[in-house]
Amino acid sequence: MHPHRIAFVIFDGFQSLDLAGPHEVFQQAGGYDCVIVAPASGPVHSGSGLPVHAGHAVTALRPEGIDTLIVTGGTGVHTARHDPALIGWIAAAARGAGRVASVCSGAFLLAEAGLLDGRRVTTHWARAERLAREYPAVTVEPDPIFIRDGHIWSSAGVTAGMDLALALVEEDRGQQVALDVARHLVLFLRRPGNQSQFSVGLWSMQPSSDPIRRAVTAIHADPGARHDISGLAAHAGLSPRHLQRRFTTELGIPPAAYVERVRVEAAQRALENGGDPVESIARRYGFGTAETLRRSFHRCLGVAPSDYRDRFRSTTGGPR
């Protein structure tokens, strides 16, 4: 049996972990022949300055015979997507590949090659809005860790490429092999939650008027306060109905949902930096009960408060 051939595409300014993480997963699994292709063979410098040797140039490597094509992302992706030879090779290799995948902002290269039109994809949460704006035929979902749409796979930023690689190994070799690799590399086989837990503070627009700014300031000053629509309207100097409409227009989210997200952020910080029981944190930040806090965490972050604490607890926090 011939090994499954995987071609990684890199370019100047690529994100080194987009390559190294998935590459390590496949090497640990065994049965894969991984090659690295770039606009030119030889040393290719990542965005952090780490040089990686590309064994093949796109002008020299035939695009046929590739089983899985994986395109990395990185700060250099926007220069790379204007390289006709690179984009043409990606398009040609994708036509014969059984699977095509992007890691992080590598989705821009697949989109430029015309491979994502009409498909659901994800990318790094900080790049999702731009991808959706510049490629309107692509359905961009900023929350998932990775997405599969037919033979096209895409992952969120940086380390999420390893989640994607584990899923590909599981499809090829079965769950036990993927689980063994995950254990060896000390990874989740299926990471709980989604990208929201890593993008706190970027979930709403900013207020554009003083009345709404006053309401927002009151919420952040004391997340655990009552903050019903009447109280927020009083802070803003508006009627409750007027406050509801203007708040939603300016911030893109209703007042009640905004209050919930601010409370979740406050609870996240408490879970990261202290040892207080979940019940105490729930009461302090306006959730009332631990169950209400749990439901809000699942709704906003896709993970339970206890799991969040286990994964993000500061090493300088209270007793574990």
Side-chain angles (χ1 to χ4, degrees):
M1 180 181 295
H2 295 292
H4 185 109
R5 195 175 207 206
I6 297 177
F8 285 95
V9 176
I10 64 173
F11 44 85
D12 282 332
F14 77 100
Q15 166 59 252
S16 57
L17 277 174
D18 289 4
L19 167 67
H23 190 281
E24 189 66 26
V25 169
F26 293 121
Q27 292 303 308
Q28 290 291 330
Y32 293 95
D33 172 29
C34 297
V35 299
I36 301 174
V37 60
S41 60
V44 180
H45 287 84
S46 72
S48 64
L50 180 70
V52 171
H53 182 82
H56 305 274
V58 295
T59 54
L61 181 65
R62 292 175 59 85
E64 299 85 3
I66 295 170
D67 298 301
T68 297
L69 175 67
I70 299 180
V71 180
T72 64
T75 56
V77 73
H78 299 299
T79 298
R81 64 178 167 145
H82 297 299
D83 181 338
L86 178 63
I87 297 301
W89 187 89
I90 289 172
R95 283 195 290 271
R99 290 185 306 217
V100 178
S102 62
V103 180
C104 194
S105 54
F108 282 88
L109 296 179
L110 296 188
E112 187 66 29
L115 300 172
L116 301 184
D117 289 358
R119 295 190 181 274
R120 297 169 51 247
V121 302
T122 193
T123 186
H124 192 289
W125 56 265
R127 305 288 179 263
E129 183 179 351
R130 181 173 181 177
L131 181 63
R133 182 176 67 250
E134 297 189 4
Y135 299 96
V138 180
T139 300
V140 181
E141 299 185 10
D143 234 13
I145 298 298
F146 66 85
I147 285 177
R148 177 184 186 177
D149 187 338
H151 74 295
I152 303 287
W153 299 64
S154 56
S155 80
V158 196
T159 60
M162 300 179 79
D163 299 81
L164 173 63
L166 283 169
L168 297 178
V169 168
E170 184 174 8
E171 181 179 65
D172 295 338
R173 307 285 303 282
Q175 184 182 48
Q176 188 58 54
V177 173
L179 181 59
D180 290 343
V181 173
R183 285 172 173 163
H184 184 78
L185 296 177
V186 197
L187 297 170
F188 288 107
L189 178 57
R190 293 182 183 83
R191 188 195 311 215
N194 51 44
Q195 291 200 73
S196 296
Q197 58 198 293
F198 305 105
S199 57
V200 171
L202 301 177
W203 42 263
S204 79
M205 299 178 285
Q206 296 300 307
S208 57
S209 69
D210 287 340
I212 304 305
R213 194 172 293 114
R214 287 195 296 270
V216 166
T217 298
I219 295 168
H220 284 276
D222 186 3
R226 186 174 179 183
H227 296 315
D228 59 11
I229 193 68
S230 298
L232 292 175
H235 284 294
L238 303 171
S239 70
R241 177 178 291 185
H242 196 188
L243 180 280
Q244 179 82 25
R245 180 179 61 79
R246 285 186 57 176
F247 194 106
T248 305
T249 298
E250 292 188 25
L251 277 75
I253 182 173
Y258 189 94
V259 170
E260 180 184 43
R261 291 301 298 258
V262 172
R263 287 173 172 168
V264 166
E265 284 188 1
Q268 285 178 266
R269 290 191 293 270
L271 290 165
E272 291 166 8
N273 299 315
D276 292 344
V278 172
E279 293 81 0
S280 298
I281 293 171
R283 289 193 299 271
R284 184 187 315 153
Y285 294 114
F287 295 98
T289 68
E291 177 58 23
T292 302
L293 174 60
R294 188 192 67 79
R295 289 199 299 267
S296 290
F297 258 59
H298 272 291
R299 183 161 46 246
C300 296
L301 304 178
V303 64
S306 56
D307 291 338
Y308 184 91
R309 168 172 272 166
D310 288 343
R311 295 162 60 199
F312 292 96
R313 177 73 169 273
S314 169
T315 57
T316 60
R320 293 188 66 102

